């Protein structure tokens, strides 16, 4: 079995906004719980991201979770969006898990 990372990727019609290492946050939650401090940092973060997307619906946010090989880092995903934003979005939509999407008409909306 190969090792992988899980990222939360957030973008809107203007491009990439953030790439978050969800695995690192989940690990922190686990250690906090073992230490007696019950926290849900990842759940709280996802809630805030979804709320922000809903409040700013004119920006047509999309939030996806993707599993990637251990050799890929946050900056690699950001670079992918800088180099070819539409291809990056289409690839993540195809391979990732949708958390939230207020995607504009997919036939007319192109990320630039």
């Amino acid at each position: 079995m190969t090792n992988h990372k899980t990222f939360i990727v957030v973008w809107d019609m203007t491009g990439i906004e953030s790439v978050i290492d969800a695995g690192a946050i989940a690990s922190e939650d686990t250690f906090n719980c073992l230490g007696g401090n019950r926290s849900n940092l990842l759940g709280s973060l996802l809630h805030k991201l979804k709320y922000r997307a809903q409040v700013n619906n004119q920006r047509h946010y999309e939030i996806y979770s993707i599993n990637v090989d251990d050799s890929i880092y946050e900056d690699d995903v950001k670079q992918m969006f800088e180099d070819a934003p539409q291809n990056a979005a289409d690839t993540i939509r195809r391979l990732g898990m949708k958390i939230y999407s207020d995607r504009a008409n997919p036939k007319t909306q192109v990320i630039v």
Side-chain angles (χ1 to χ4, degrees), residues 1-59:
M1 183 170 142
T2 62
N3 292 334
H4 71 274
K5 296 178 185 175
T6 301
F7 292 137
I8 305 298
V9 184
V10 181
W11 71 90
D12 64 16
M13 60 190 282
T14 63
I16 187 78
E17 184 168 290
S18 58
V19 179
I20 302 158
D21 187 344
I25 295 172
S27 293
E28 188 175 339
D29 273 344
T30 301
F31 283 113
N32 285 341
C33 187
L34 290 172
N37 179 12
R38 296 192 61 144
S39 67
N40 186 1
L41 300 173
L42 187 56
S44 176
L45 175 66
L46 287 173
H47 176 72
K48 290 173 186 174
L49 289 171
K50 286 172 65 175
Y51 181 71
R52 180 174 182 203
Q54 291 167 343
V55 170
N56 294 296
N57 61 354
Q58 75 280 4
R59 294 181 62 188

Side-chain angles (χ1 to χ4, degrees), residues 11 81 84-96 103 111:
W11 71 90
F81 266 90
Q86 191 62 53
N87 288 339
D90 290 341
T91 299
I92 291 174
R93 286 183 192 119
R94 188 176 71 251
L95 300 175
R103 187 176 178 196
I111 299 172

